[in-house]
């Protein structure tokens, strides 16, 4: 095993080009577990800790350019207004110690369906800034997850940042685990209302081979909100609409049975979370004054 | 490979480090600092918590090579760390006295004067004059230590929380310590210890504020 | 928090009542400073110049013949000093075991469970050792799997152990049954006719792991005389020694064991793990060898709590009097016996719970299967039974339309009750009272999660995962009570040894207490110092490290150490005190008549009369002298249970705890938040009240864990463990653990030292069924298995 310690982003890209099998390590929260438990012996470890810009973020007019290694703690504490869904998701990541080290780049690089950030990223809508010595490209999040723990990155590419649309409406995130803290998702659900485009986007985690959107549910809801004039009237969403949305979200899931939960439970739970998070975001959009945000 | 970094204020160098070694392994097996504990080695228990450039992290998930040139504080250096902080910012910052835990509640665990007359297990050389940080003393006084394997990680995490949040509510304490498993105590005495440390810090702050 | 202590009939203590830091005070742990500074040397912290690292290669299949093992490539690696297999074992004896020596040190011809040790490697770096182990090639030929009662007891079942000769093999009906204990008293079939209501239930208890935080580890150092020094974390040094020496081919005196710091135990260190392996490698290489399991290996490195199936029938008259009970308890012991026979004894003899039922028909068995070996864990046997009989009590109460606590109180045992084994309960049994106390406690306020800023998810089911802001959340309250035996039962010669020395050091009288008691976190070292202060009137007490240079202390298990080793320390101190007084009489008897006539005490470093008159300083008495006594001490003998009727005075003492659980359940998502777990427990005498609370709260939390999250999942098709990690074997975090108010009763047991009662296990029993009862109360579901998972609560 070789340990590569690039001092700059350019050096990192050069190292990755030279050693495409090199495994990037930033927070270490996935890679080190695999090494400690003898599940993985990469030929090269590519340390990204010395590259300061990966831990920086820029808030632009429409989007936040979030460095791949910005710790979840920073997202929770500093980007709650711009990225409320991702901030909520960040709060559910493992433990305070892990949140101090891990960042979105790790979740995306690993592309495990259980990564906590994915549903929030899918719901908010974003592009992954991938870079190599060949150049930079922006990969839409909808095209990023290509299979079980597989993503659209080329072997010589590294994740530089994620360009996440700033929230233009309420966002929520829920995750089921069998413990009240420090738990991997049995399944998770993210939702973002986009009043500017009068659309709703969603994300589902741990309930399909890859993180997915509940597209049929979104389309149904978009149509129902439009037809009913809900965006303007800010009426309470008809229970039958919420129910149908939840059922469609549940139907979008394609889960398996494993030690963390059964497929049928996951389907069920996705539906419940979809209904609840829609309720919370919509109440917030309506501005009823009734507090629906979870606090912690 | 060779790794240079600062541990508890002292520069350290480790040679012939295998590239897959964790910071935890280097501290325990190469630097004679076994205080950080190897309970799960997968970031699921917090027993190996250290501060890396001031930030609490699981040292089992930091590759040794990643700490080159950085500063690490372990439980062995916690008392010194707390002392330097106290010298720089006396009183710990709870100015109002409106701390989350009633002082009276917390004080029922007031320390017995220690230690010279107490017995020892003979497990290792201990310095009877050792000064402890407030959180260390509170853990002993409140009965928060049983087998003690989770203790070093909890101390680092709790100390860091009190640094930022000197008047924590119970929910704050629980959230801050939710990455540290304990199998012996049922956590009640750990909560007591943190409340006690917070209350003592508060009292000290009040006293110093009055001078 | 909110703890109160009530004194019943305390033991009169005259000696030591004036000495500071004696029994009854919450003195602080002597190892506390070392533990908070990181200096306390746990077994995994051991280090030796030039040491090697040992690695164990374990089977990847559960039941198979070993066709071949090829170690050549591993042995040829740079940095590898030894590779060992069964063929390299040095002695005639190649097996070990707590009671039945059925466990091979390294697999011989066959593996019987997933993760069984097959080969060992010693190398100069742990990674080298791991790489070498990975190069050992083992060819397996898989055998049919025995995974449950049906497959184990089928007439043509493959035998997990061929040719058994152990004492239990003679009375079991099938060689795949480790041990069977029936208990028959009265006539259950006849008594059932008097019942107005009958409830039957079938219950399942999942496989729990001790999940102590300090993984199995230790250091073996070869010594010049051909022996070995072993520094290890264990619960019972002498039991280890008896199992280690024969397989090393060494006399016991050449295996010198010292207890290292123990990172928790809970039964999981009762059996041998890496001890023999490290010694073998050290003796083979002539170098110190350290072995440290990681968490993954730890799940294979120790036995677990027996999973169980429990079949119960209870009857009652319409006014709530229990008429009869029938039960069958099937415990899965896995591939090796470990503590299974004792688990069967406890499960059967305590299957009735703390209730008066005259007509019973009880049977408990433990199976040999190809599942992971199971053995000791806190409260064993009694824990599984309590889950089932308490569920039965609630069902019965519901059917009778009675309050579940009243039903329990109506049938509660008390001092003088005759147990199904024919044994009389001869010390206080305040079962009804502890139930009354938990019930009388005010309920915690509703909807504590609500705040002006919104719902505080930390206080809701799902916690930080933000699954509910109150939607679907329903509160439930449940009660349970349990009975646990204290100490080793069934005729076992249960004793401990204490060596106590008294001398003057630096101008002060100092007592040194030396036992082989394993301090596993429980605070035995604290209590030993307190006892010495009380009995010898000194303030300075040194606790000598535990090792095998002193007689056995028995195990730190069965809630027994404060009783038995505490009793031994007290006894040795009394003998030392007599000798000190003899010296005093010899030296100073002529100066004061009271030396000869009065009853003398040692208080505050002085010899005083029972009237308080000071006769002299201990420093003067001990000038130029030292007194040392090593003595064994035993509790009252017990008897084996009759193998047909189960009759016999099998237990020495009982421990009782009751819980009230308050839970909030997200009924739509099936997630549970335990809001409060109130406990009342009789401890006889709290030698160290702070430690007592720690034991009760810790035990309660382990019971909570197995109620809602903790389970080792074994694939029934492969008998392989599916979740050997802290990612998927979950234990409660501080956000899962509620406030645990404790009500401590002190009703002295006149047969026990200071009237004390063993306390460590009882709180683990009733915690689980109380939480389950509360969840049932919230959801209306039947819930016959534990742990309960979201699937069970949502019907998905």
């Amino acid at each position: 095993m070789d340990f590569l310690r690039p001092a700059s982003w350019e050096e990192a890209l050069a190292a990755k080009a030279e050693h495409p099998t090199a495994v990037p390590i930033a927070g270490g929260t996935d890679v080190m577990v695999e090494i400690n438990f003898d599940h993985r012996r990469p030929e090269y470890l590519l340390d990204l800790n010395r590259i300061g810009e990966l831990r920086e973020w820029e808030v632009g007019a429409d989007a936040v350019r979030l460095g791949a290694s910005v710790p979840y703690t920073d997202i929770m504490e500093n980007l709650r207004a711009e990225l409320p869904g991702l901030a909520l998701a960040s709060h559910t990541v493992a433990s305070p110690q892990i949140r101090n080290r891990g960042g979105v780049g790790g979740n995306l690089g690993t592309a495990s369906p259980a990564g906590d950030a994915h549903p929030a990223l899918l719901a908010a809508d974003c592009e992954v800034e991938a870079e190599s010595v060949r150049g930079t490209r922006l990969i839409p999040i909808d095209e990023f997850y290509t299979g079980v723990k597989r993503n659209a990155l080329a072997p010589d590419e590294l994740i530089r940042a994620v360009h996440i649309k700033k929230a233009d409406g309420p966002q929520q995130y829920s995750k089921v685990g069998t413990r009240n803290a420090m738990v991997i998702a049995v399944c998770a659900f993210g939702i973002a209302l986009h009043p500017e485009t009068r659309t709703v986007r969603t994300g589902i985690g741990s309930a399909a081979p890859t993180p997915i959107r509940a597209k049929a549910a979104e389309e149904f809801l978009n149509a129902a909100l439009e037809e009913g004039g809900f965006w303007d009237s800010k009426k309470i969403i008809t229970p039958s609409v919420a129910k149908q949305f939840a059922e469609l979200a549940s139907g979008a899931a394609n889960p398996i049975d494993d030690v963390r939960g059964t497929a049928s439970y996951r389907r069920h739970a996705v539906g419940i979370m979809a209904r609840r998070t829609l309720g919370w975001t919509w109440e917030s959009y309506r501005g009823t004054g009734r507090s629906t945000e979870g606090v912690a | 490979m060779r790794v240079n970094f600062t541990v508890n204020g002292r520069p350290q160098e480790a040679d012939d480090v295998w590239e897959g070694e964790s910071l935890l392994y280097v501290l325990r097996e190469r630097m004679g600092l076994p205080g950080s504990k190897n309970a799960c080695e997968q970031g699921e228990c917090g027993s190996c918590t250290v501060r890396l450039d001031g930030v609490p992290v699981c040292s089992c998930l930091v590759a040794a090579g990643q700490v080159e040139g950085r500063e690490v504080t372990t439980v062995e250096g916690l008392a010194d760390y707390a002392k330097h902080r106290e010298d720089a910012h006396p009183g710990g910052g709870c100015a109002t006295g409106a701390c989350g835990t009633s002082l009276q509640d917390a004080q029922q665990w007031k320390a017995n004067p220690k230690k010279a007359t107490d017995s020892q297990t003979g497990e290792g050389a201990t310095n009877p004059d050792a000064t402890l940080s407030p959180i260390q003393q509170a853990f002993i006084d409140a009965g928060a230590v049983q087998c003690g394997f989770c203790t070093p990680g909890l101390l680092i995490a709790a100390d860091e929380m009190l640094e930022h949040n000197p008047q924590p509510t119970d929910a704050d304490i629980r959230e801050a310590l939710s990455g540290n498993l304990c199998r012996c105590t049922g956590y009640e005495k750990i909560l007591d210890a943190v409340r006690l440390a917070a209350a003592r810090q508060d009292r000290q702050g009040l006293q110093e504020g009055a001078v | 928090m909110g703890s109160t202590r009530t004194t019943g009939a305390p033991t009169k203590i005259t000696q030591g009542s004036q000495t500071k830091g004696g029994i009854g005070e919450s003195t602080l742990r002597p190892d506390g400073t070392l533990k908070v500074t990181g200096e306390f040397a746990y077994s995994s912290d051991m280090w030796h110049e030039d040491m090697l690292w040992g690695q164990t290669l374990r089977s990847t299949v559960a039941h198979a013949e070993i066709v071949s093992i090829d170690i050549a490539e591993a042995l040829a690696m740079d940095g590898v000093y030894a590779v060992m297999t069964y063929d390299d074992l040095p002695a005639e004896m190649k097996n070990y075991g707590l009671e039945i020596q059925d466990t091979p040190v390294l697999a011989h011809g066959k593996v019987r469970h997933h993760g069984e040790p097959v080969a060992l490697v010693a190398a100069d770096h742990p990674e080298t050792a791991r790489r070498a182990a990975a190069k050992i090639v083992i060819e397996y030929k898989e055998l049919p799997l025995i995974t449950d009662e049906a497959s184990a007891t089928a007439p043509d079942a493959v035998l997990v152990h061929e040719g058994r000769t152990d004492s239990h093999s003679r009375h079991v009906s099938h060689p795949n049954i480790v041990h069977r204990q029936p208990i028959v008293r009265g006539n259950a079939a006849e008594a059932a006719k008097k019942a107005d209501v009958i409830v039957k239930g079938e219950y399942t208890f999942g496989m729990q792991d001790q999940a102590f935080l300090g993984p199995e580890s230790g250091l073996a150092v070869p010594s010049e005389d051909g022996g070995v020094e072993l520094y290890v974390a264990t619960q019972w040094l002498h039991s280890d020694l008896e199992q280690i020496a024969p397989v090393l081919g060494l006399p016991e005196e050449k295996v010198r064991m010292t207890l290292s710091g123990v990172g928790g135990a809970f039964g999981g260190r009762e059996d041998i793990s890496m001890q023999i392996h490290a010694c073998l490698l050290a003796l083979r290489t002539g170098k110190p060898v350290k072995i440290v399991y990681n968490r993954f290996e730890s799940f294979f490195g120790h036995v677990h709590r027996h999973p169980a199936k429990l079949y119960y029938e209870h009857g009652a008259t319409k006014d709530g009097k229990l008429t009869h009970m029938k039960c069958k308890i099937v415990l899965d012991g896995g591939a090796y016996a470990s503590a299974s026979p004792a688990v069967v004894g406890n499960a059967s003899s305590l299957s009735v719970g703390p209730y008066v039922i005259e007509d019973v028909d009880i049977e408990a068995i433990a199976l040999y299967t190809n599942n992971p070996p199971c053995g000791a864990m806190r409260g064993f046997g009694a824990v599984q039974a309590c889950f089932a009989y308490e569920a039965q009590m609630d069902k019965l109460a519901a059917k009778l339309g009675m309050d579940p606590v009243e039903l329990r109180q109506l049938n509660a045992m008390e001092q003088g009750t005759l147990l199904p084994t024919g044994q009389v309960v001869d010390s206080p049994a305040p079962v009804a009272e502890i139930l009354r106390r938990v019930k009388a406690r005010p309920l915690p306020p509703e909807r504590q999660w609500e705040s002006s800023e919104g719902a505080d998810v930390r206080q809701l089911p799902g916690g930080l995962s933000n699954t509910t802001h109150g939607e679907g959340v329903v509160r439930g309250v449940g009660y349970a009570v349990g009975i646990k035996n204290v100490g080793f039962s069934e005729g076992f010669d249960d004793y401990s040894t204490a060596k106590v020395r008294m001398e003057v050091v630096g101008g002060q009288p100092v007592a040194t207490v030396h036992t082989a008691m394993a301090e596993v976190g429980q605070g035995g070292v604290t209590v030993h110092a307190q006892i010495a202060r009380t009995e010898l009137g000194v303030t300075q007490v040194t606790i000598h490290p535990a090792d095998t240079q002193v007689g056995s202390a028995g195990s730190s298990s069965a809630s027994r150490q404060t009783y038995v080793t505490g009793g031994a320390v007290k006894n040795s101190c009394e003998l030392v005190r007599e000798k000190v007084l003899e010296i005093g009489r010899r030296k100073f008897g002529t100066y004061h008549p009271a030396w000869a006539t009065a009853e003398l005490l040692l208080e505050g470093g002085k010899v005083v009369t029972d009237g308080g008159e000071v006769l002299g300083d201990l420093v003067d008495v001990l000038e130029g002298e030292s007194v040392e006594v090593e003595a064994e001490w035993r509790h009252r003998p017990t008897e084996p249970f009759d193998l047909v009727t189960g009759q016999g005075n099998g237990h020495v003492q009982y421990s009782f705890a009751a819980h009230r659980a308050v839970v909030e359940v997200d009924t739509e998502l099936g997630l549970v938040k335990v809001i409060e777990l109130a406990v009342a427990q009789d401890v006889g005498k709290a030698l160290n009240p702070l430690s007592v609370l720690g034991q009760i709260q810790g035990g309660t939390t382990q019971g909570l864990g197995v109620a809602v999250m903790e389970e080792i999942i074994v694939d029934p098709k492969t008998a392989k463990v599916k979740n050997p990690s802290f990612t998927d074997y979950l234990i409660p975090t501080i956000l899962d653990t509620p406030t645990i108010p404790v009500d401590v009763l002190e009703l002295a047991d006149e047969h026990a030292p200071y009237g004390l009662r063993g306390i460590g296990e009882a709180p683990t029993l009733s915690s689980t069924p109380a939480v389950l009862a509360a969840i049932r109360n919230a959801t209306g579901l039947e819930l016959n298995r534990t742990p309960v998972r979201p699937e069970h609560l949502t019907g998905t």
Side-chain angles (χ1 to χ4, degrees), chain C residues 133-166:
Chain C
K135 288 194 169 152
I136 298 172
V137 183
I138 306 174
E139 194 187 332
Y140 293 108
K141 186 181 160 206
E142 295 208 38
L143 296 168
L145 292 169
I146 304 295
T147 57
D148 54 17
E149 187 186 11
S151 58
T153 57
D156 59 344
V158 172
L159 301 187
V160 178
H161 294 271
E162 307 266 1
R164 282 177 63 188
T165 56
D166 60 88

Side-chain angles (χ1 to χ4, degrees), chain C residues 447-465:
Chain C
R447 301 174 77 85
Q448 291 182 79
W449 69 82
E450 283 183 334
S451 77
S452 52
E453 297 157 65
D456 184 345
V457 295
R458 297 174 298 194
Q459 308 205 42
L460 278 160
L464 291 176
S465 295

Side-chain angles (χ1 to χ4, degrees), chain A:
Chain A
M1 201 185 293
D2 253 338
F3 198 85
L4 308 173
R5 293 189 252 194
S8 69
W9 180 240
E10 289 67 32
E11 277 183 41
L13 293 177
K16 185 68 174 155
E18 193 183 339
H19 308 291
T21 60
V23 173
I25 175 168
T29 56
D30 281 334
V31 177
M32 285 305 289
V33 175
E34 295 185 319
I35 291 175
N36 290 346
F37 278 18
D38 208 358
H39 293 159
R40 188 171 193 177
R41 286 292 177 267
E43 204 176 345
Y44 298 96
L45 280 176
L46 179 61
D47 174 32
L48 301 175
N49 270 197
R50 297 171 77 192
I51 301 160
E53 57 259 49
L54 293 180
R55 288 191 300 278
E56 292 167 4
W57 66 88
E58 301 151 41
V59 179
D62 302 317
V64 176
R65 181 171 182 248
L66 182 73
S69 300
V70 173
Y72 289 114
T73 304
D74 280 344
I75 300 172
M76 280 161 55
E77 290 176 357
N78 300 301
L79 292 166
R80 204 166 174 139
E82 295 84 355
L83 309 174
L86 186 62
L88 281 166
S90 300
H91 204 163
T92 76
V93 172
S95 65
Q97 289 91 326
I98 302 299
R99 298 197 283 269
N100 286 339
R101 286 280 289 166
V104 170
N107 257 197
L108 289 167
T110 305
S112 158
D116 293 319
H118 305 311
L121 294 175
L122 283 164
D125 197 7
C126 66
E127 292 173 313
V128 180
E129 182 184 336
E131 195 170 347
S132 71
V133 290
R134 296 176 290 117
T136 300
R137 62 179 177 134
L138 292 175
I139 308 170
I141 192 70
D142 288 331
E143 295 164 22
F144 186 77
Y145 309 107
T146 56
V148 181
K149 297 195 179 180
R150 298 172 69 89
N151 59 34
L153 291 177
D156 64 345
E157 282 181 319
L158 292 171
I159 300 169
R160 170 62 186 83
V162 191
H163 298 245
I164 309 166
K165 289 199 176 141
K166 279 165 69 177
D168 60 320
Q171 301 184 353
Q172 272 290 348
Y173 178 89
S174 246
K175 156 177 148 184
V176 167
T178 45
R179 186 160 71 181
N180 286 322
M182 196 157 58
V183 70
I184 291 193
V186 172
C187 53
F189 191 83
I191 187 168
L193 305 190
H194 298 285
E196 284 177 8
T197 52
R198 299 198 165 195
T199 55
V200 175
R201 283 178 64 106
T202 62
I204 297 175
S206 275
T210 66
I212 54 168
R213 284 169 60 195
K215 286 197 177 147
E218 290 176 14
E219 283 162 16
F220 160 78
L221 186 60
N222 288 341
L225 294 178
E226 198 60 53
E227 282 161 23
F230 286 91
W231 290 106
D232 292 324
S233 69
K234 297 193 175 182
K235 286 184 298 193
I236 291 173
I237 290 184
T238 324
S240 63
V241 169
K243 184 162 177 276
Q244 177 109 24
F245 172 72
E247 280 168 11
L248 288 167
S250 178
N254 178 23
I256 54 166
D257 288 332
D258 65 18
V259 291
R260 292 172 195 151
T262 62
S264 61
Y265 173 74
R266 286 184 160 108
R267 251 182 243 110
H268 165 82
V270 165
I272 302 288
M273 289 189 289
R275 196 187 70 220
R276 288 183 183 174
T277 53
L278 172 61
W280 300 337
T281 48
W282 191 257
E283 282 302 310
S284 180
Y285 174 68
R286 296 176 66 222
T288 54
R290 188 187 141 229
S291 181
T292 54
E293 281 247 334
V295 294

Side-chain angles (χ1 to χ4, degrees), chain B residues 21 28-29 37-39 42 119-121 125 136 145-148 172 174-175 181 183-184 186-188, chain C residues 35-36 39 42 44-45 125 209-210 290 295 458 541 543 698 701-702 710 726-727 732 734 737 740:
Chain B
E21 276 176 29
R28 290 175 52 77
E29 304 294 341
K37 289 289 169 268
N38 56 318
Q42 56 181 144
S119 57
Q120 296 166 10
T121 59
Q136 287 170 316
V145 178
Q146 287 188 29
C147 93
D172 292 340
R174 288 183 190 275
E175 181 176 344
L181 296 178
R183 190 58 160 167
C184 294
Y187 302 103
E188 282 282 75
Chain C
K35 284 180 172 176
V36 300
E39 290 173 71
Y42 293 89
S44 55
D45 301 341
H125 188 282
D209 189 68
Q210 296 84 356
K290 173 170 171 171
R295 184 54 53 182
R458 297 174 298 194
V541 180
I543 303 294
T701 304
Q702 291 183 0
E710 292 185 31
F726 272 181
T727 307
I734 195 169
T737 308
I740 306 172

Side-chain angles (χ1 to χ4, degrees), chain C residues 395-622:
Chain C
K395 277 187 192 171
L396 204 49
K399 206 159 178 178
L400 288 162
M402 278 182 79
D403 177 276
V405 171
E406 275 175 34
L407 174 71
R408 286 172 170 87
Q409 288 174 318
L410 182 66
N411 293 285
M413 69 163 55
E414 52 197 19
Q415 186 162 1
T417 292
L418 198 65
L419 294 167
T421 54
Q423 185 168 15
V424 176
V425 176
D426 63 359
S427 67
V431 176
E433 172 63 10
I434 54 180
L435 281 163
R436 187 191 67 76
R437 286 179 182 232
V438 289
K439 192 178 181 191
R441 185 177 283 280
L443 284 163
E446 307 256 354
R447 301 174 77 85
Q448 291 182 79
W449 69 82
E450 283 183 334
S451 77
S452 52
E453 297 157 65
D456 184 345
V457 295
R458 297 174 298 194
Q459 308 205 42
L460 278 160
L464 291 176
S465 295
N466 190 40
T467 45
T468 178
H469 298 165
E471 298 90 339
V473 175
V474 178
R475 176 172 278 205
V477 179
Y479 295 87
V481 62
I483 174 172
K484 177 68 185 56
N485 57 320
V486 172
F488 293 148
S489 298
E490 299 185 62
F492 192 91
D493 180 21
D494 190 11
Y495 72 96
S496 183
T497 318
K499 187 193 281 187
V500 175
R501 181 183 175 85
M502 209 169 166
E503 64 202 321
V504 176
V505 178
Q508 295 286 326
V510 176
T512 302
V513 178
H514 186 183
T515 74
M517 177 210 63
E519 170 58 52
V520 299
Q522 82 276 30
V525 290
T526 322
V527 163
H528 291 179
Q530 292 178 261
I531 292 171
R533 290 191 196 101
T534 290
E535 297 300 331
L536 297 174
V538 296
T539 47
Q540 286 199 43
V541 180
T542 301
I543 303 294
H544 190 283
D547 58 27
T548 50
Q549 307 302 307
V550 64
S552 176
S555 182
S556 294
S557 59
S559 305
R560 65 178 284 288
Q561 278 296 23
T562 301
Y563 190 137
V564 189
T565 300
V569 171
K570 177 174 188 281
N571 177 57
S572 292
C573 285
E574 286 165 355
L575 296 172
V576 164
R577 190 169 70 221
E578 283 314 309
K579 291 197 173 197
V580 169
L581 291 173
E582 270 171 38
I583 295 170
R585 287 190 189 99
R586 170 160 52 80
K587 282 186 176 174
F588 305 112
T590 55
Y591 297 103
H592 196 302
W595 276 104
T597 55
E599 186 164 339
L600 301 183
L601 310 174
L602 306 186
E603 302 286 5
K606 299 181 191 312
V607 180
V608 299
T609 66
D610 56 356
E613 187 181 358
V614 176
L615 298 186
D617 275 344
L618 276 173
V619 173
D620 298 326
V621 175
L622 288 167

